[in-house]
Amino acid sequence: MNDKIRIGIVGYGNVGKGVELSIAQNDDMQLVAVFTRRDPSGIHTQTPGVKVVKIEEAASMKDQIDVMILCGGSATDLPEMGPQFAKMFNTIDSFDTHAKIPEYFAHMDAAAKEGDNLSIISVGWDPGMFSLNRTYAEAILPQGSHYTFWGKGVSQGHSDAIRRIDGVQNAIQYTIPVPAAVEAARSGSEPVLTTRQKHTRECFVVLKPGADAEKVKEQIVTMPNYFDEYDTTVHFISEEEFKRDHTAMPHGGFVIRSGKTHNGEHTHVIEYSVKLDSNPEFTASILVCYARAAYRMRKAGQTGAKSVFDVAPGLISPKSAQELRATML
Amino acid sequence: MNDKIRIGIVGYGNVGKGVELSIAQNDDMQLVAVFTRRDPSGIHTQTPGVKVVKIEEAASMKDQIDVMILCGGSATDLPEMGPQFAKMFNTIDSFDTHAKIPEYFAHMDAAAKEGDNLSIISVGWDPGMFSLNRTYAEAILPQGSHYTFWGKGVSQGHSDAIRRIDGVQNAIQYTIPVPAAVEAARSGSEPVLTTRQKHTRECFVVLKPGADAEKVKEQIVTMPNYFDEYDTTVHFISEEEFKRDHTAMPHGGFVIRSGKTHNGEHTHVIEYSVKLDSNPEFTASILVCYARAAYRMRKAGQTGAKSVFDVAPGLISPKSAQELRATML
């Protein structure tokens, strides 16, 4: 057991639980402890022998964990927790507030360097694998256009926004790519697509007793930034229907780039897509293989903050460079 | 001009010409010279100011070229030319004889180290981008199956094999993925697909005067390794039809991985695909952006042979790490 990469999980929500499941699929890794803000006695992990520890006690386990996977949210958890942990551990996180990535990177870089650790930020599928695919495709086809479509899947941000409306008891919002727009992007004709043309939004809402459905619907479809630029449909359902039909967490998406060579005569289309039964488990699986890379990069002497752009692909694979060349190239 | 990456092209066939076109799309690069085994006076490049030089004189230009892109074939050119050039220059090549990659890597590694250079081997789309996508997807979903489909596109190896048959004047072979097999791979059900189920082969053959069509057809469809395991159709056409309809070089393909999480309960499908008007120009575009990576890696002090698995994605992009984080993550 001692030569396995020793992993800690911070936060035991959907992603944290997915990380635990993914570690069990990787023979070179071992889950050592789960760290929580809750009462540890209330948390029961799946893996035998795993400690559940108060988050405040993490510092005492510095010598027992090689990489800490931070499964907190980007809004409030990671901006605070990220740099704290980066001072003590190598870390992986899925920070996804796109506009604040440069600022977060700077904080993580300073903290990781202070602690002589390595932190890979914004790991997941978007940001993450989608970012990589945009970058590979743009480097290959510098003259071209790229398109990202998300869905069909749940947007937590949009679901939360609906839940904040007066009279709403529960709500979920699905982002749906418009098939005609996906086809147009794939065609290589490099169409200009508006926000409205690319995605539709579908909402399932449980009302509080006595709430005015028409008023709620109006507030949703006109909500600035969230819904006003989209064609949105709103369905009112019962709490029972909600629980029966809307608790799974599927998602998916497409990154398409089309570009030209030979003075515009030849068209090439590169597409990357994912279709996921469980968004948090897929994200968790990506976090786990990047934990392997963080461990190896730190062992090779690197420190500070990194992004997926800095990680050579071979480092995330359990296979050696020699094995990869012989079997995967 | 002086801070541009100075590129040399060895071999001015379809890929070499594609490299020239791609360099023109990348502002940070400059084509310095084309090296050829032919008479240089017979070669006219598109780019003003580019020298055309006999291959034997390459050594005299060591100080004028940062990265040499080797556009020779894998069967006879690269095994000899690769190590020779790796002693003198940083190199990029598209060596694609899968079974011989470990041996070629070893030779290139020794030669590049001897010359204090860096060589990235087997760059292209397969091997290359497809290899990367198989590796990323397998690391993310270790429990699963992967599928590679090629086409519709020309297989040079199969076309050559037909041309060697007695009575054949000209021939081209298209590899075609079977739509039902692609759909089955995409479904996430992890089907076991035989060679015959995955691809069909379609041949267009021009016969020599007096050749026996039935005999030629029989020799094609029963040819061991090349055709015997496939459903093959053979069309006989005239040389005029051949020239009119079969000189373009489209290609494409799909890498699909489906895997499970949550003890097999959840299925995820990752797909990468390309659809290309010109196979050699697309390959060339990949070679060119990896030349950027070779230049940067050598500048950072690395030497020896590398594969795409060793190259951090950010290194192939003209954007800085900071720009990538701000705009692509």
Side-chain angles (χ1 to χ4, degrees), chain A residues 73-84 95 100 104 107-108:
Chain A
S74 300
T76 55
D77 296 340
L78 288 173
E80 193 183 321
M81 180 191 287
Q84 282 170 9
F95 186 82
K100 293 193 175 164
Y104 183 68
H107 291 156
M108 290 297 280

Side-chain angles (χ1 to χ4, degrees), chain A residues 275-279 281-282 285, chain B residues 141 188 257-262 266-270:
Chain A
K275 193 163 158 263
L276 314 173
D277 272 1
S278 166
N279 183 3
E281 287 171 19
F282 188 72
S285 299
Chain B
L141 298 172
R257 183 170 185 90
S258 71
K260 304 279 188 189
T261 59
H262 209 122
H266 293 145
T267 300
H268 310 283
V269 181
I270 305 172

Side-chain angles (χ1 to χ4, degrees), chain B residues 162-180:
Chain B
I162 301 173
R163 282 191 217 105
R164 285 191 294 264
I165 294 173
D166 216 34
V168 170
Q169 180 175 301
N170 211 343
I172 193 163
Q173 192 268 184
Y174 297 95
T175 306
I176 305 168
V178 175

Side-chain angles (χ1 to χ4, degrees), chain B residues 223-276:
Chain B
M223 195 186 297
N225 304 319
Y226 284 88
F227 293 99
D228 61 339
E229 292 180 54
Y230 297 86
D231 291 333
T232 302
T233 52
V234 180
H235 308 276
F236 294 100
I237 58 172
S238 67
E239 185 70 31
E240 291 66 43
E241 286 172 298
F242 192 92
K243 283 189 179 139
R244 187 190 66 206
D245 300 334
H246 299 286
T247 53
M249 287 171 281
H251 217 312
F254 310 81
V255 175
I256 298 170
R257 183 170 185 90
S258 71
K260 304 279 188 189
T261 59
H262 209 122
N263 311 314
E265 271 179 50
H266 293 145
T267 300
H268 310 283
V269 181
I270 305 172
E271 177 170 340
Y272 179 80
S273 68
V274 298
K275 194 165 157 261
L276 315 173

Side-chain angles (χ1 to χ4, degrees), chain A residues 263-307:
Chain A
N263 310 316
E265 272 179 49
H266 293 145
T267 300
H268 310 283
V269 181
I270 304 172
E271 177 169 339
Y272 178 81
S273 68
V274 299
K275 193 163 158 263
L276 314 173
D277 272 1
S278 166
N279 183 3
E281 287 171 19
F282 188 72
T283 299
S285 299
I286 303 173
L287 294 172
V288 168
C289 60
Y290 274 88
R292 180 181 289 122
Y295 175 75
R296 290 171 170 175
M297 291 168 82
R298 181 62 195 86
K299 269 211 150 179
Q302 297 190 59
T303 60
K306 307 285 170 190
S307 78

